[in-house]
Structure formats: C-alpha cells, structure tokens
C-alpha cells in the first residue's frame, strides 16, 4: 500500500509536477527522509501503455488543455492552440524527451559578462557557475545513466541517419561528432535494459531503456515511504499565511473536487508555461501581481531555443527511422564566436520523424497537397534530417500571460504563450540552416529543404534565477527571492537557454536543490 499523507499534514513538501525537476527532487528528498506530496495534473501510465505509434501517443500523453499561441511567428498560424509539445502525466516530459543529455558550457552561465548588453535582449548572468554545478552534472549523469564516462556505458553505435550527416560534416571541416551523450542505455544499467533501437523515443520508451522519472525516480521515491504521488491533481493556487510564507496548495482532484494540501514548503515544477501561470494565478492582497513577482519577471523571458529542421533526399535509401530519434550530435558550432554574426552557439542534432509526423510537420499550413509534397513522401526512405538547437536570447516581452476572459475546465484563465524572435535568433538559425545544407550537399544530396517550425519541447526561462531580486524570480538555489519556503524546480528557473538540450541541467539543479532544502531543514529554517 502506498504511503498516504493527510491533507492537514503541514510537515510535507508539496511538489507540483513529476518530470525531470519534480520527479528527481521528490526522489532525492525521499532518500534524505524528507516527506513530500507530488501533485501531478495528468494520469499515471505503465510501460504497457506505451505504443510505437506517433499519433496515438501524441493524443494519449500530450498536454492538450487550451493554450493560446501568440507572437510574430509561423507557429501562431499553424498551431494556434499548441505552442509547446509537453506531457501531462506522471513522469512529465521525461516520457517524451529524446534522451539527449548535454551539459551547458562554462561561458553559457555568464553570457552577459561575455557579450555585454544587446539591444532588445534581457541578458543576465546565472547566479551560479559551471564549476558550482559540475559535481551535480556528474551525479545527474550517473543517476540518469548517461552514456560516457560518468556511467561507464559506451556511446551508441552510429545509425545510417547519423552516418550520412557525419560524413558531410567531416567534408566541410567539422570534427566534434558524437552519438551522444544520451540517457538511453547501451547496455543494461540501473535495472533498465539496453536500447532496442526501435526509433520511437519521443513517444515514450516501451522498453524502459531511456531514463524517465515515470519508471525510475517516482516509484523509487514512493518505495521509501516518504513520498506520495497524486495523479490527476491539477494545482490551482498556492496559499500563504499572514507573514507571506506559503502554507498550502489548492488543487482539483480527478473528480473535479477542490482539495487543500498543507505544506512545509512548496516546489513548483510544472514546466515553463504552467509554473508561471500558477504563480500568477496565486495573487492575493499581499501579492497582488502573483507570488514571487515583486520584480515583475514571473512569466517573462520565455525561451525555446532558436531552432530549425533541415531534411535532405539522398541518392540511396537511408531509413532514418531505424535507431534512436536523435542519433548523433555535431557540436563544432556550439562555441561562442561573434565573427559568425551572432552571439551564442548551436548544435546540429541528427533527427528522424516517423512518416505520420513527417507528413504533418512538413507542410502544416497547406495540409499536404501538391506534387512536391507527394514526391518527397515517396522518397521517405531516402531522407536524412537534422535539427538545429541554438541559443535563444531572453526577451522580456516573450512570456506567459493570463487571458482576460477565456477560462479552462477548472475556471482558471487560459495561458497566452507569446514568443517572437530576436534578430540574433534569426541570424543563428540562418547560419545553421546553411551549414546543414552544406553538410548534405557535400555527400551528394538530391535536394535539401527546410521543414517549418513545430511546437517546441524545450521551454525555459519564465521564472529565472538572478543574483538580485529586482532582476528575476529565484536565487541560485531556485528559492523565491520574495518567499523563503517557495522554490522553482524546473526549467523555468533558467537564466539563459544555452545551446544544449535542457533536461540534464534541470536534473542537476534538482539534485543540488534537494541538498539545499535538506540543509535548511536541518537548521530549522524551513
């Protein structure tokens, strides 16, 4: 029988969300003997629920509550109610993520110091350094089973898709070519099997070879007796006492009934849309602009990475769908080099899309009509693809706001997700597209074409870390500047996006935050 805590137990830490941040944090606290209640808006899945079917799994696990896409970008027209592709379920977006596990580079923690002010950007250094986070990167890599030195597992073998791109990359002079690191087992590790190379990583790994809190941290946290996970529990507001310290979370249960869980501390880990939305919805007489928002920065500085997709038709079959979805990474362009005409860097990550997804994302505006469209689909087995993942500069106007009149099924204002490009993003994206094109042309591509933007899974920055309270929402521990027992534990605390996929950094920060919370509790400060 799972542990159950009473609703009036004010000794528990309430964690909102069960993904890379919340699930990791719950497990880390449980191992330290600290009680927590995890509120997860979605249902609980088992490995048996995972299907190797792109659209079936999209419908099953995606967060499809109403949201409004806004801003001067193509996504506003093609996906007006799906600004981001994230998961609603126990395990969060670690069910859906592709497993790429890259560390930030040292200079990315101090980008403002490196490049200075940039017009239109709201740049800020992180209040922590790479050197401070590095021990937790090592812990995270061992914890997640990241291929490479920390886990001792070898990197993945190169699949055909990566072989094609990598050969072109070599011919244009690139040298940093790796099939990883990834948190996908290349041999049995941590009671999980090795990868079967099925190619449905973003639909959930039905074998459990890819790390996900769904079947690692969450059940292990529960097994300690110090963690209770409540699925289908949508957090609505965070309450506080007369001193301004948070003391409860109000949520809707599976039947739609309102419940109130008392709390010793609250950790918000609902992804970079729902986390600021919750803080804004928790306004009160003491906090009229929302919790932790004295700076006015809650919901601002939304970043998704500067991204683009480039595909090429090759003379012979590639069968890109065989193997992991993101089977290899080229990191030569991840450096900081302003001579290219932009700040920040980017990675070239070979990617595959199954035929159902590819057919949709290749032409979302026109519904897939025309000779060119049909001709490309006829050559699906000849295609190779690459995803550009680059530094996305924070802009104060990019962010999450609440709609004035439209309400969701819980009676809460629907979130508006506004995102526009900084000129730097456009320059970086064009450079990446041209370099990807050069790689494919170097190996004789029949044709090279861009695929329009699709809903992002990298959502960071809307409750950012800052050294000074007036510049952000939380401090170097993810603790709110305004409220000492309120924490942010997901990617929304990122000060900048870096050029790397965010999950490894989210996990490292959660492990570090757990140590801080435990130390403060031992001193009687929480």
């Amino acid at each position: 029988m799972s542990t159950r805590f009473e609703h009036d137990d004010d000794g528990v830490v309430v964690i909102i969300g069960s993904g890379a941040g919340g699930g990791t944090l719950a497990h880390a606290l449980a191992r330290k003997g600290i009680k927590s209640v995890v509120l997860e808006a979605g249902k609980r899945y088992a490995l048996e629920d995972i299907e190797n079917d792109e659209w079936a799994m999209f419908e099953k696990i995606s967060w499809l509550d109403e949201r409004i896409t806004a801003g001067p970008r193509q996504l506003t027209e093609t996906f007006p109610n799906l600004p981001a592709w994230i998961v609603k379920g126990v395990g969060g977006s670690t069910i859906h993520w592709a497993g790429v596990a890259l560390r930030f580079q040292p200079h990315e923690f101090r980008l403002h110091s490196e490049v200075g002010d940039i017009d239109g950007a709201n740049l800020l250094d992180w209040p922590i350094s790479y050197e401070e986070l590095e021990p937790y990167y090592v812990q995270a890599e061992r914890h997640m089973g990241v291929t490479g030195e920390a886990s001792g597992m070898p990197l993945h073998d190169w699949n055909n898709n990566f072989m094609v791109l990598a050969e072109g990359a070599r011919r244009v002079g690139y040298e940093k070519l790796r099939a990883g690191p990834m948190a996908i087992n290349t041999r049995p590790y941590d009671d999980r099997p090795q990868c079967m190379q099925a190619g449905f990583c973003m639909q959930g790994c039905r074998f459990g070879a890819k790390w996900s809190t769904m079947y690692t941290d969450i059940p292990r946290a529960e097994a300690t007796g110090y963690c209770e996970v409540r699925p289908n529990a949508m957090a609505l507001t965070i309450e506080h006492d007369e001193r301004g310290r948070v003391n409860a979370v109000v949520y809707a249960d599976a039947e739609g009934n309102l419940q109130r869980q008392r709390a010793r501390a609250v950790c918000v880990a609902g992804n970079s849309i729902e986390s600021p939305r919750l803080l804004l919805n928790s306004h009160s007489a003491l906090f009229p602009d929302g919790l932790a928002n004295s700076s006015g920065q809650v919901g601002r500085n939304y970043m998704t990475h500067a991204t683009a997709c480039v595909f090429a038709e090759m003379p012979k079959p590639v069968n890109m769908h065989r193997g992991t979805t993101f089977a290899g990474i080229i990191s030569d362009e991840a450096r900081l080099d302003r001579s290219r005409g932009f700040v920040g860097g980017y990675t070239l990550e070979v990617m595959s899309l199954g035929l159902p997804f590819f057919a949709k994302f290749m032409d979302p505006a026109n519904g897939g009509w025309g000779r060119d469209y049909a001709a490309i689909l006829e050559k699906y087995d000849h295609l190779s693809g690459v995803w550009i993942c680059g530094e996305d500069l924070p802009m104060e106007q990019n962010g999450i706001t609440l709609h004035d009149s439209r309400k969701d099924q819980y009676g809460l204002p629907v979130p508006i997700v506004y995102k526009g490009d900084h000129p730097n993003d456009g320059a970086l994206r064009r450079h990446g597209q041209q370099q990807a094109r050069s790689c494919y042309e170097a190996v004789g591509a029949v044709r090279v074409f861009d695929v329009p933007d699709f809903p992002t899974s990298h959502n960071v920055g809307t409750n950012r870390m800052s050294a000074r309270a007036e510049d952000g929402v939380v401090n170097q521990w993810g603790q709110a500047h305004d409220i000492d027992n309120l924490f942010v534990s997901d990617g929304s605390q990122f000060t900048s996006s870096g050029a790397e996929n965010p999950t490894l950094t989210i996990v490292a920060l959660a492990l570090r935050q757990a140590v801080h919370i435990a130390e403060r509790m031992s001193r009687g400060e929480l």
Side-chain angles (χ1 to χ4, degrees):
M1 184 76 179
S2 297
T3 301
R4 298 285 296 177
F5 296 113
E6 298 296 328
H7 283 96
D8 63 357
D9 187 341
D10 61 2
V12 302
V13 175
V14 176
I15 301 171
I16 299 163
S18 62
T24 300
L25 181 64
H27 187 197
L29 292 178
R31 293 200 310 267
K32 297 177 185 297
I34 296 171
K35 300 185 298 182
S36 70
V37 171
V38 178
L39 302 178
E40 168 54 56
K43 65 179 292 185
R44 189 187 292 265
Y45 296 99
L47 283 175
E48 294 73 27
D49 296 316
I50 305 299
E51 307 172 58
N52 286 350
D53 184 313
E54 289 181 317
W55 283 115
M57 287 305 297
F58 177 85
E59 295 292 337
K60 182 181 290 188
I61 66 176
S62 297
W63 192 298
L64 299 176
D65 295 11
E66 186 178 7
R67 291 167 169 173
I68 299 170
T69 309
R73 53 178 177 157
Q74 172 242 339
L75 204 66
T76 301
E77 302 298 325
T78 53
F79 294 94
N81 299 114
L82 192 71
W85 182 11
I86 61 175
V87 170
K88 188 177 186 181
V90 174
S93 292
T94 66
I95 300 175
H96 150 72
W97 80 305
V100 175
L102 297 170
R103 298 183 185 187
F104 270 43
Q105 301 167 83
H107 73 263
E108 290 170 324
F109 289 93
R110 53 175 192 272
L111 187 63
H112 184 242
S113 293
E114 293 280 353
V115 304
D117 292 338
I118 296 176
D119 287 345
N122 194 18
L123 282 178
L124 196 67
D125 289 345
W126 290 61
I128 61 173
S129 66
Y130 175 88
E131 290 72 24
E132 289 174 90
L133 195 57
E134 195 271 342
Y136 296 97
Y137 272 138
V138 174
Q139 287 185 34
E141 288 162 348
R142 290 172 180 161
H143 176 76
M144 300 164 72
V146 175
T147 53
E149 182 179 354
S151 71
M153 284 188 289
L155 300 184
H156 285 256
D157 293 333
W158 292 16
N159 70 358
N160 285 354
N161 199 15
F162 190 41
M163 287 182 186
V164 169
L165 180 67
E167 180 57 30
R170 283 198 189 103
R171 293 184 186 187
V172 302
Y174 286 150
E175 299 176 348
K176 298 178 180 179
L177 321 173
R178 297 180 296 171
M182 297 183 221
I184 303 176
N185 290 353
T186 51
R187 64 187 184 206
Y189 182 90
D190 194 33
D191 297 325
R192 293 183 288 114
Q194 71 184 58
C195 178
M196 301 300 290
Q197 300 292 321
F200 289 89
C201 306
M202 294 194 297
Q203 285 65 55
C205 180
R206 64 186 300 182
F207 311 105
K210 181 185 73 176
W211 175 82
S212 170
T213 60
M214 167 189 157
Y215 41 74
T216 59
D217 292 81
I218 289 296
R220 292 171 186 177
E222 292 175 304
T224 67
Y226 288 101
C227 177
E228 179 193 350
V229 177
R230 297 178 189 166
N232 300 302
M234 176 67 182
L236 306 180
T237 57
I238 301 170
E239 296 183 342
H240 60 81
D241 61 21
E242 66 280 359
R243 298 176 297 161
R245 301 183 89 246
V246 295
N247 62 1
V249 177
V250 175
Y251 66 96
D253 65 19
E255 287 73 43
N257 300 315
L258 295 187
Q259 306 290 348
R260 182 178 185 270
Q261 176 62 53
R262 297 188 68 186
R264 182 177 184 178
V266 174
C267 299
V268 181
N271 201 280
S272 291
I273 296 175
E274 291 303 316
S275 288
R277 181 191 184 204
L278 176 62
L279 296 180
L280 292 172
N281 274 322
S282 300
H283 58 83
S284 66
L286 190 58
F287 300 108
D289 298 319
L291 289 185
N293 198 24
S294 64
S295 63
Q297 293 295 303
V298 169
R300 298 185 183 273
N301 310 298
Y302 176 54
M303 296 168 284
T304 61
H305 278 132
T307 65
C309 277
V310 177
F311 280 80
E313 178 191 332
M314 305 308 298
K316 296 181 180 180
V318 177
N319 293 306
M320 66 175 175
H321 62 283
R322 296 177 182 170
T324 56
T325 303
F326 284 80
I329 303 157
I330 300 169
S331 302
D332 297 72
E333 298 288 358
R335 68 191 188 275
L336 181 61
D337 177 3
R338 299 191 74 169
S339 69
R340 296 172 297 178
F342 53 88
V343 302
Y346 63 86
T347 54
L348 294 170
E349 302 181 9
V350 71
M351 75 170 295
S352 66
L353 290 173
L355 186 56
F357 268 9
F358 183 76
K360 169 65 175 178
F361 293 141
M362 192 182 84
D363 189 18
N366 300 311
W369 290 95
R371 290 183 182 274
D372 284 346
Y373 178 86
I376 289 170
L377 291 184
E378 284 178 352
K379 290 290 188 178
Y380 173 80
D381 64 339
H382 285 55
L383 298 181
S384 176
V386 62
W387 189 61
I388 296 152
C389 180
E391 182 87 44
D392 180 11
L393 296 188
M395 300 170 66
E396 198 167 61
Q397 64 267 40
N398 285 339
I400 316 305
T401 56
L402 306 179
H403 198 279
D404 290 339
S405 57
R406 286 169 68 172
K407 303 292 178 67
D408 67 6
Q409 66 269 41
Y410 306 105
L412 295 177
V414 169
I416 302 169
V417 183
Y418 183 98
K419 180 70 169 69
D421 266 356
H422 188 278
N424 190 81
D425 304 337
L428 182 153
R429 184 180 293 112
R430 289 188 295 273
H431 189 276
Q433 288 170 317
Q434 181 54 53
Q435 292 303 104
R437 180 176 295 273
S438 296
C439 291
Y440 282 128
E441 289 173 347
V443 285
V446 176
R447 71 170 111 183
V448 183
F449 55 94
D450 299 332
V451 169
D453 238 359
F454 46 82
T456 180
S457 297
H458 295 181
N459 301 276
V460 298
T462 49
N463 293 309
R464 71 177 182 178
M465 279 189 181
S466 63
R468 302 189 310 166
E470 57 264 39
D471 294 329
V473 179
V474 298
N475 66 14
Q476 71 269 33
W477 304 106
Q479 173 192 331
H481 287 297
D482 300 347
I483 304 169
D484 70 357
N485 66 335
L486 174 64
F487 296 83
V488 172
S489 311
D490 58 17
S492 69
Q493 64 185 305
F494 281 31
T495 310
S496 60
S497 75
E500 294 77 23
N501 305 52
T503 304
L504 179 66
T505 301
I506 294 172
V507 173
L509 290 171
L511 294 172
R512 181 174 178 268
Q513 187 179 83
V515 172
H516 175 71
I517 289 173
E519 289 176 349
R520 290 191 60 207
M521 285 185 171
S522 70
R523 296 193 297 265
E525 297 172 1
L526 281 178

